[in-house]
Amino acid sequence: MNASQSSEAVDEAVNDVEGTEEARRTLIALIKAAFPHEKVPDAAYERAADTVQKQADDSTWIRVKLAQGLDSLQGLTDGRFHELTPQQAHLVLLRVQHTTFFGFVRQTVVVNLYEDEEVWEALGYEGPSFDKGGYIDRGFDDLDWLPDPRIEEYDGEPLEDVVSDLPTAASTRSNRAAAVPAGQSKARAGRVGTGRKQSS
């Protein structure tokens, strides 16, 4: 098979997958498995899939990789990828996590899915604050999601100051300096202290 025949075979394989309902369903299932959120509606995942497909159309190479990747997922699961449980789908994705295909889907979705305002609402994010005057006057210090702090005043005997008699770093240096005779280096003082003879 020459290069031209090989290219034609690839194009034919891509055409068999690309744009089909099965491919779209697999892509949506992939995104849901890679970015699982119980409260995020299916419509948000569908929009993310549309964005992936649109960006793939800008590059023939990526378009081919996407079609081949979706076909591979179907091949690994006997055409049932969209029927897998989240745990089963996760195991399948681990097998393709280092492919160009999966890397493209992941980097596209991680930006676009979390820019979807319907996803913000599902996750409890209120959106950017600059056009609303910032967060300072909009519940910035609202901590009602935390339990009430337990504050107890100590009313026992006064605590002893257990560190008042410990030497400070300054006094330790001062004591070391006093142990070295004037005009003598620390190294020489150490040698004299150990009984070594000094050469004249």
Side-chain angles (χ1 to χ4, degrees):
M1 181 181 292
N2 58 36
S4 177
Q5 291 173 324
S6 176
S7 176
E8 290 176 2
V10 169
D11 288 342
E12 183 178 351
V14 169
N15 290 335
D16 288 342
V17 176
E18 191 177 41
T20 65
E21 183 58 32
E22 180 182 1
R24 175 177 167 76
R25 186 170 54 191
T26 301
L27 179 57
I28 293 170
L30 182 165
I31 296 172
K32 292 179 72 172
F35 300 89
H37 297 287
E38 291 183 2
K39 296 182 179 180
V40 170
D42 289 344
Y45 289 112
E46 292 169 4
R47 287 192 291 272
D50 291 339
T51 301
V52 169
Q53 187 63 65
K54 183 178 179 180
Q55 292 195 15
D57 289 342
D58 294 338
S59 167
T60 301
W61 187 71
I62 289 295
R63 185 171 60 84
V64 170
K65 289 295 182 182
L66 178 62
Q68 290 176 334
L70 295 175
D71 188 47
S72 296
L73 285 182
Q74 289 295 79
L76 290 170
T77 58
D78 296 326
R80 299 183 303 104
F81 183 81
H82 65 283
E83 298 177 3
L84 301 182
T85 65
Q87 293 77 15
Q88 292 171 331
H90 177 73
L91 293 176
V92 175
L93 293 184
L94 288 177
R95 298 176 63 178
V96 301
Q97 64 177 324
H98 298 301
T99 62
T100 301
F101 145 71
F102 184 75
F104 167 71
V105 174
R106 179 178 55 199
Q107 72 181 14
T108 304
V109 173
V110 76
V111 174
N112 291 278
L113 180 65
Y114 297 110
E115 284 186 345
D116 191 309
E117 293 189 11
E118 196 170 9
V119 175
W120 293 356
E121 184 177 351
L123 299 181
Y125 174 53
E126 297 180 2
S129 66
F130 65 90
D131 59 340
K132 302 179 181 65
Y135 288 116
I136 297 298
D137 298 321
R138 297 180 55 248
F140 177 76
D141 58 349
D142 182 3
L143 299 179
D144 57 3
W145 52 276
L146 288 175
D148 291 334
R150 186 184 65 184
I151 302 176
E152 297 179 359
E153 295 290 340
Y154 179 74
D155 58 358
E157 295 295 324
L159 298 177
E160 295 183 15
D161 189 354
V162 296
V163 297
S164 60
D165 296 332
L166 294 179
T168 63
S171 65
T172 302
R173 287 194 298 271
S174 176
N175 291 338
R176 288 177 181 169
V180 179
Q184 210 175 62
S185 68
K186 292 182 180 179
R188 185 176 180 188
R191 288 194 297 270
V192 171
T194 57
R196 294 183 181 177
K197 292 183 64 178
Q198 303 299 314
S199 58
S200 57

